[in-house]
Amino acid sequence: MLFKKKIELSEKNGVKMINGSVQFQAVYLNVHCFEVDGILIDTGSASLLKQFKPFFEQMDVDRIMLTHYHEDHSGGAHFLQKAYKLQIFMHPLNIEECRKKASYPLYRKLFWGARLPFLAQPVGDSFSSRTTNWKVIETPGHTEDHVAYLNESTGQLFTGDLYVTPKTKVVLREESIPQIIRSLEKVLTYDFLEVYCNHAGYIENGREALMRKLHYLKELSYKIEMMNEEGLTTSEITAQLFSKKYPITKLSLGEWDAAHIVSSVLNK
């Protein structure tokens, strides 16, 4: 298998960013890390570690803050903890899981590599970096342990995988659209403008982007519920609302599928 990898470096308003991508045939996956005020938000994947090491060598950070446990966000944690003796903080729900050898499907290991065990501490509901205070906002939906980080001085919001794309078309089997809706509503009660998403990157008008996504998901949920009341099955609703087929669905053997959007709305 030929996997193409590349990285892009950028900086916006004091936030240094690295974006790494992995492509195999028609499937393209990417992930960002963010360095700001002495902290590193997420660590990228084990498969991109070679490409990310020059960025890590130049960074000046005191600690690592993880948005959630997925291997594309935590895959570099073992190396960074061993090489730089950095403390790692995350939601307590999956701390014990991250102490053990990771278990996830083969296609994810091919794209993101094998996440090695690491030691993390519970993040709490706030923390301080070198010059500012941060709010930790629990935002489950993509995963149960998902959090967002709000820089209370600058209004910069780091959303992990809460946003990703304006119009969600496929999700992981474990995701919950109703939970994502509640998490979007929750973060929108805070004062912020810019958003830094671990897949979409820097979003200047972040509040507007999250509001549009919230509106889309609410409308989509309403359509799904109405179609269900009319007697349509999950398969029939999926076929009507999501006619386009995405390569990730076949590659993942259905772990990523539009049908999970429908079933999560109906099983809320």
Side-chain angles (χ1 to χ4, degrees):
M1 291 186 177
L2 180 60
F3 287 82
K4 298 179 181 179
K5 301 177 184 179
K6 68 176 183 179
I7 62 166
E8 296 176 349
L9 300 173
S10 58
E11 184 171 351
K12 288 287 185 181
N13 300 329
V15 180
K16 295 179 181 179
M17 299 176 276
I18 181 168
N19 178 31
S21 63
V22 182
Q23 182 175 1
F24 173 67
Q25 296 180 357
V27 178
Y28 169 90
L29 302 175
N30 80 304
V31 68
H32 286 74
C33 295
F34 304 106
E35 178 194 351
V36 56
D37 200 41
I39 64 172
L40 178 69
I41 298 177
D42 287 345
T43 69
S45 66
S47 64
L48 288 166
L49 189 55
K50 179 180 178 181
Q51 288 77 15
F52 277 37
K53 278 184 177 179
F55 177 83
F56 293 150
E57 289 169 0
Q58 295 297 317
M59 71 181 182
D60 177 21
V61 302
D62 308 312
R63 64 173 71 181
I64 297 168
M65 314 300 297
L66 296 182
T67 60
H68 60 296
Y69 78 105
H70 277 166
E71 65 277 1
D72 50 331
H73 298 256
S74 63
H78 174 91
F79 165 78
L80 289 166
Q81 190 164 63
K82 184 176 180 181
Y84 299 102
K85 306 297 187 289
L86 293 171
Q87 290 184 311
I88 300 171
F89 295 85
M90 64 185 295
H91 191 286
L93 188 61
N94 284 318
I95 285 177
E96 285 304 312
E97 180 169 342
C98 291
R99 292 171 64 96
K100 300 177 290 187
K101 182 179 179 181
S103 176
Y104 43 87
L106 177 61
Y107 81 95
R108 284 164 58 178
K109 290 181 180 177
L110 293 174
F111 271 93
W112 297 129
R115 190 204 73 216
L116 297 178
F118 61 91
L119 304 178
Q121 300 178 50
V123 68
D125 58 9
S126 64
F127 67 93
S128 297
S129 58
R130 292 175 181 175
T131 66
T132 189
N133 295 320
W134 293 73
K135 184 69 177 176
V136 180
I137 309 169
E138 294 195 4
T139 51
H142 176 66
T143 63
E144 287 291 335
D145 72 329
H146 198 283
V147 296
Y149 297 115
L150 175 63
N151 185 323
E152 295 184 298
S153 297
T154 64
Q156 295 167 322
L157 181 67
F158 295 80
T159 58
D161 284 3
L162 179 61
Y163 176 73
V164 181
T165 181
K167 293 186 177 182
T168 303
K169 302 296 184 182
V170 293
V171 297
L172 281 165
R173 186 176 285 111
E174 68 180 293
E175 293 192 63
S176 167
I177 296 301
Q179 276 192 322
I180 291 172
I181 287 173
R182 290 192 291 271
S183 291
L184 286 167
E185 291 174 332
K186 185 177 183 179
V187 297
L188 285 165
T189 66
Y190 291 88
D191 186 19
F192 69 93
L193 290 174
E194 296 179 346
V195 161
Y196 294 80
C197 168
N198 282 80
H199 296 286
Y202 170 71
I203 306 171
E204 183 177 7
N205 297 315
R207 174 171 288 277
E208 293 180 15
L210 293 188
M211 289 177 68
R212 287 195 298 270
K213 179 166 184 121
L214 175 60
H215 179 70
Y216 164 78
L217 290 180
K218 282 187 169 182
E219 279 202 338
L220 179 60
S221 297
Y222 177 77
K223 290 178 183 177
I224 291 170
E225 289 168 349
M226 291 302 99
M227 294 170 77
N228 179 62
E229 287 187 10
E230 292 169 4
L232 276 69
T233 65
T234 297
S235 297
E236 290 169 337
I237 296 171
T238 303
Q240 288 194 30
L241 293 179
F242 305 100
S243 57
K244 183 176 179 179
K245 303 302 179 186
Y246 292 88
I248 189 65
T249 300
K250 182 177 180 180
L251 181 67
S252 69
L253 301 178
E255 187 180 41
W256 286 89
D257 200 320
H260 304 323
I261 297 174
V262 178
S263 59
S264 75
V265 169
L266 298 179
N267 296 328
K268 65 182 179 180

